[in-house]
Amino acid sequence: MLALLLLFSLFVIYSVFNISVSRRKAEYAMLQTLGISEGTISGTLIFELWFLFFAGYPLGLITGNSILRLCGRKLNGIFTSKINETLCGESVQNAEDYAGFHVPWEIMAAGFVFLFFALALVGFLTVCTIRKQTLVQTMGGDTSFMKESRSAYSKRGCNLANIVTRKFMFSDKRKVLGIMLSLSIGGCIYLCTTYMTENLKVHAQMAFKSDDGLGSEYRVSVRSDSMADTIPSTVIEEMKDIAELAEVYASKYIMGELVIKKEQLEWSEYFCEQNKDSYYQERYGGICVDKGNGTYGIKYDVYGYDAGMVEELQEFLLEGEIDLKKLEKRNQIIAVANKDGQGNYNFYGLHPKDIVTLRVPKELNCPAEVLKFDADSTEYVEKQFEIAAIVSRALAKEDNYLNVNNWSNSQSFIMTNQQMEDNCGISGYSIVNASPVYGADTEKISGKILKTVRDVPKTVFRDYTTAIEIQKNYLKRQQLFFSGIAVILLVISLFHIMNSMNYSVFAHRREYGIIRAMGITDAGFYKMILRMGVLYGLLADVFIFLIYHLLFRRVMDYYMVHVVQFLHISAGIPAGIFGMIMVLNVAIAALAVMILAGKIAAGDIINEIRR
C-alpha cells in the first residue's frame, strides 16, 4: 500500500510539474536561443522544485502533526488492540491508556530524503520531454495535430467539430496515454483502499470468532488438567432454557495424535519452535515426534461441535464441503490447515476425500504419560477418517493443553458432538459459548449463567461483552482511518483531473480562437469542448477498469493474503462505489473543460489567436 501511495504521489507531482513547464516551453526555448545552456535550464527547473519542496514540506509536517496531535486519542490503538482478560467476567483494555503524541523524526527525515531525490528525478524527466523537440518546434507551440497527409472531411458530410476534437485529443498518442494514466491512477488507488476496507470488515468479524475468541459474549469452560472434567449435558440444557440467550453452542474436546508418513511432512521445521518449548517437551514429549517406523506423530486438538458451530465454519472453508448429514453418515472429519509465515495454507499435501489416521486416549481420565502417545497401544483408540473439508481456523478453542503460553491456533480436527460420542465415548462438554438476545440485560444474563454452572467443578465463566464492544470500536476506527485516506486520495485525484483537463484545453487555445474566428457559435464551441471532456472521462473509466482488475487488484490480493494475512479475501467493491467513481470521473473531466471553455469564450478572439 505504501508503494502505491508513493507511486501515486510521484505521478501527480510529475504530471502537475510537466503541465506547468509545458506552458513555459516557448520561453525556455527563447532563452536557449539567447545562449542559456540546457544544463542551466535543467538546474533552474530542479531548483524550482526544491524551492517549492523546502517551503511546502515543513508546512505539511506542521499541519499533519497538528491534526494527528488533535486526533491522537481517537486514533489511538487502531492497529493494536490487545485485550487482557480476567476470570471475573471483566475485560481491561490497555491500549486505551493514551501514551501521548510521538513525533516520528526518523520517518520525517526519511520522507525528506526520498522527496529530495525524487523531485530531482522529476525535474530530469521533465527536461527530457523538452529535449524531444527542436527549438523551432518548441517556440512554435503544439503542432502535433498537424499532419503532412491531409483529408477533405467536408466532402463526406462529417461533423467537423467532432473531427477537430479527435485531432486535438489523439494527435500525440504518448501524451494521450500519459493523460489517461494520470486520470485513472488516483481512482484505482481509491478503489484499492476501498477494497482493503471491505475485506478488513470481513477479516475482523472472522478474527472475532477464531483468533480473538470473541465470537460469543459469554464463555464457560473447564480449567483442568484432566479431560474427564466436563460440563454435563443437563447443564447445557438449563443454559438453553435461559430466555435471554439467543444461541448456546456446546463443544466437546479430546487431545489426539495425527499419524502421517515422513514424506508427507514436507516442511519438517514447521513444528521446531514448539518442539523446543519446555512445556511441550515435559508434558507431551514434543509436538511433532518421530515414531521411528517411518511415521511422525503430531499432537492435535480434536473438537466436537454442535450443528450451529459446524455451519459457521463455512466462512473459513478452504477446500471441500461442509455438510452436517454427510459428516455423521460417512464419519468424516474437518481438518484445520497449517499456515506458513507468508499466509499460505497447507495440510501436509492432503485434500478432501483423503484418509487420515487419528489416535486418541481410550479413557478421558488417563495418566499424564498417555498424552505423550508413546504408551502401550491398548491405551489408545486408533481410527481412520475421510477428510470432508479443510478450513483455516477452528472456533471454540481450549486453553489447557496445546493453546497455552504464547501459542494459539494450534493444529485441530473437528467433528460433530455425536461423532465424538460414537468414536471417543465422550458425553460431557468442555466449552460452552452463548450469545444474548438483542437488548437483553447483560448483567442479568451473567448472573443466570453463573447460577447454572456454579455446581460444576473447575468451570470458569468469562463475560466478553465489554471486550467485544472495544473490538468493534477498533474496527470502526480502522474503517474510518482507511476510508479517510481513500477520500483524501480521491480529492487529490479529482484536483489532478481538473488540472490535466485544463492543460488539454489550454494547449490548443490558439486553434480554438481560429475556430471561433471561422464562425462557430458559442453553443457549438461549448458542445465541442464538452464532448472532449466526456470522452476523456470515458477513456479514463476504461483505463481504471482495466488497470484495477488486471494489476492493482492482484497486487492487493497478494498484499492482503501474504503480507497482512487476512483470513479470507471474499469481499469485493460495492457496485455503487465503482459506479460512483466512473460517473465522477466523467463529471469532473467535463466540468473542468467547461470552466476553461467559459474563460476562452469570454476572451478576445484576436488575443487568443496571437498566443
Side-chain angles (χ1 to χ4, degrees):
M1 179 60 73
L2 180 60
L4 289 177
L5 293 177
L6 291 176
L7 176 65
F8 175 63
S9 302
L10 289 179
F11 202 93
V12 170
I13 292 172
Y14 171 74
S15 181
V16 171
F17 189 66
N18 192 42
I19 289 172
S20 175
V21 172
S22 295
R23 296 183 178 184
R24 295 174 283 162
K25 284 198 297 185
E27 287 80 358
Y28 290 131
M30 290 180 185
L31 289 175
Q32 284 187 272
T33 60
L34 294 174
I36 304 299
S37 67
E38 189 177 272
T40 302
I41 293 177
S42 301
T44 302
L45 293 177
I46 293 174
F47 276 111
E48 178 183 344
L49 279 171
W50 281 345
F51 177 79
L52 295 172
F53 171 60
F54 290 140
Y57 191 71
L59 181 62
L61 292 180
I62 293 171
T63 304
N65 282 305
S66 299
I67 293 173
L68 288 175
R69 184 183 291 275
L70 291 174
C71 304
R73 188 173 294 277
K74 291 186 177 181
L75 295 176
N76 181 44
I78 282 182
F79 303 105
T80 57
S81 56
K82 299 298 181 184
I83 293 177
N84 289 340
E85 303 164 7
T86 69
L87 301 182
C88 301
E90 299 179 354
S91 299
V92 180
Q93 223 307 326
N94 290 334
E96 286 293 328
D97 298 330
Y98 184 49
F101 180 74
H102 171 69
V103 178
W105 297 104
E106 300 84 358
I107 301 298
M108 293 191 296
F112 180 89
V113 173
F114 171 78
L115 286 174
F116 182 84
F117 289 103
L119 291 177
L121 177 62
V122 168
F124 174 76
L125 293 176
T126 304
V127 171
C128 290
T129 61
I130 298 177
R131 293 177 58 188
K132 292 178 181 178
Q133 290 182 318
T134 64
L135 294 178
V136 175
Q137 290 175 327
T138 305
M139 287 188 292
D142 184 9
T143 58
S144 58
F145 60 95
M146 299 180 181
K147 304 289 184 182
E148 290 185 3
S149 59
R150 297 185 174 93
S151 299
Y153 290 101
S154 58
K155 295 180 179 180
R156 307 176 191 174
C158 300
N159 188 319
L160 294 183
N162 291 346
I163 294 168
V164 171
T165 300
R166 291 197 299 270
K167 285 284 185 179
F168 286 169
M169 285 183 63
F170 302 111
S171 57
D172 189 335
K173 303 296 190 300
R174 183 174 298 178
K175 187 179 295 184
V176 172
L177 180 62
I179 291 175
M180 289 299 101
L181 288 174
S182 65
L183 294 180
S184 58
I185 192 98
C188 285
I189 293 183
Y190 174 80
L191 291 176
C192 286
T193 309
T194 304
Y195 181 51
M196 183 171 182
T197 303
E198 292 298 318
N199 279 283
L200 176 64
K201 297 177 187 176
V202 177
H203 168 75
Q205 293 297 331
M206 295 174 70
F208 279 0
K209 297 179 182 179
S210 57
D211 297 350
D212 299 329
L214 303 178
S216 301
E217 282 78 358
Y218 307 105
R219 172 186 167 102
V220 179
S221 60
V222 178
R223 180 63 60 88
S224 172
D225 291 336
S226 173
M227 293 182 293
D229 294 323
T230 58
I231 303 171
S233 57
T234 54
V235 173
I236 305 300
E237 294 303 320
E238 289 181 31
M239 287 185 63
K240 290 181 179 180
D241 289 337
I242 298 176
E244 292 85 356
L245 290 179
E247 297 172 337
V248 177
Y249 294 146
S251 306
K252 298 179 179 180
Y253 174 80
I254 190 171
M255 187 172 167
E257 181 184 61
L258 171 67
V259 181
I260 64 171
K261 298 178 181 178
K262 281 189 174 182
E263 56 268 22
Q264 289 180 296
L265 189 62
E266 299 174 351
W267 189 7
S268 57
E269 296 84 8
Y270 185 82
F271 297 102
C272 278
E273 292 300 319
Q274 282 180 287
N275 277 338
K276 294 176 184 177
D277 192 298
S278 59
Y279 168 82
Y280 293 119
Q281 279 293 331
E282 294 171 6
R283 190 169 183 184
Y284 307 122
I287 292 295
C288 181
V289 180
D290 188 346
K291 294 294 184 179
N293 57 355
T295 62
Y296 280 104
I298 304 174
K299 309 299 186 301
Y300 259 75
D301 284 331
V302 183
Y303 297 104
Y305 287 177
D306 60 15
M309 292 189 70
V310 171
E311 286 302 319
E312 287 194 3
L313 285 173
Q314 296 282 3
E315 298 179 51
F316 302 86
L317 183 64
L318 298 175
E319 294 183 70
E321 177 188 16
I322 298 178
D323 187 313
L324 187 65
K325 294 181 179 179
K326 289 182 180 179
L327 282 174
E328 295 182 345
K329 183 178 180 180
R330 300 180 183 178
N331 200 25
Q332 295 175 324
I333 200 168
I334 299 172
V336 177
N338 300 322
K339 187 179 77 168
D340 64 18
Q342 294 186 339
N344 299 304
Y345 291 96
N346 185 275
F347 187 69
Y348 313 109
L350 300 175
H351 301 279
K353 297 186 178 180
D354 288 336
I355 305 297
V356 294
T357 301
L358 184 63
R359 302 172 71 209
V360 298
K362 184 176 291 186
E363 301 292 338
L364 292 179
N365 193 20
C366 61
E369 291 297 315
V370 173
L371 296 184
K372 293 183 178 181
F373 288 89
D374 58 2
D376 190 88
S377 59
T378 57
E379 296 286 347
Y380 306 99
V381 175
E382 183 174 311
K383 288 192 175 184
Q384 291 187 328
F385 295 90
E386 178 186 335
I387 300 174
I390 298 176
V391 296
S392 57
R393 290 287 193 276
L395 297 180
K397 295 180 291 188
E398 55 80 23
D399 52 10
N400 296 322
Y401 298 94
L402 299 182
N403 288 302
V404 296
N405 300 334
N406 295 322
W407 303 100
S408 61
N409 296 318
S410 66
Q411 50 280 3
S412 310
F413 282 116
I414 301 163
M415 57 181 73
T416 67
N417 281 330
Q418 185 61 49
Q419 286 177 282
M420 287 287 278
E421 187 168 353
D422 296 340
N423 292 297
C424 309
I426 301 175
S427 57
Y429 298 87
S430 300
I431 306 167
V432 184
N433 292 285
S435 298
V437 174
Y438 180 77
D441 187 337
T442 56
E443 292 186 5
K444 182 179 179 182
I445 295 174
S446 297
K448 288 186 176 182
I449 295 176
L450 283 170
K451 183 178 179 181
T452 303
V453 303
R454 65 184 177 184
D455 294 328
V456 182
K458 301 181 180 179
T459 55
V460 176
F461 170 68
R462 293 185 178 93
D463 183 345
Y464 289 128
T465 52
T466 303
I468 288 175
E469 285 302 315
I470 291 173
Q471 289 292 74
K472 287 182 178 179
N473 287 334
Y474 278 127
L475 176 60
K476 290 178 182 177
R477 292 180 188 181
Q478 285 182 329
Q479 291 173 358
L480 181 63
F481 177 81
F482 285 115
S483 298
I485 294 295
V487 170
I488 291 172
L489 291 174
L490 182 61
V491 171
I492 294 173
S493 174
L494 295 180
F495 276 111
H496 181 52
I497 289 173
M498 295 185 70
N499 192 52
S500 298
M501 289 296 93
N502 281 338
Y503 169 71
S504 180
V505 176
F506 181 87
H508 299 289
R509 291 184 72 171
R510 181 172 179 272
E511 289 74 28
Y512 288 132
I514 294 173
I515 293 173
R516 291 175 63 209
M518 293 172 64
I520 190 172
T521 63
D522 284 349
F525 175 68
Y526 282 123
K527 187 176 180 181
M528 180 178 67
I529 297 297
L530 178 63
R531 185 181 294 112
M532 182 179 69
V534 171
L535 186 55
Y536 267 125
L538 292 175
L539 288 175
D541 287 346
V542 173
F543 269 67
I544 287 175
F545 184 85
L546 294 176
I547 295 173
Y548 171 73
H549 284 93
L550 298 179
L551 177 62
F552 279 41
R553 179 161 179 170
R554 296 183 182 184
V555 172
M556 290 303 298
D557 285 344
Y558 182 88
Y559 175 77
M560 289 188 287
V561 172
H562 300 291
V563 180
V564 295
Q565 298 186 7
F566 284 0
L567 285 173
H568 277 290
I569 307 301
S570 56
I573 296 176
I577 292 180
F578 216 113
M580 180 200 72
I581 292 297
M582 298 298 183
V583 173
L584 201 57
N585 250 350
V586 176
I588 292 297
L591 178 63
V593 296
M594 290 303 290
I595 291 174
L596 192 56
K599 294 180 180 179
I600 294 175
D604 184 72
I605 295 177
I606 302 300
N607 290 335
E608 295 293 335
I609 295 175
R610 287 176 176 175
R611 286 180 181 273

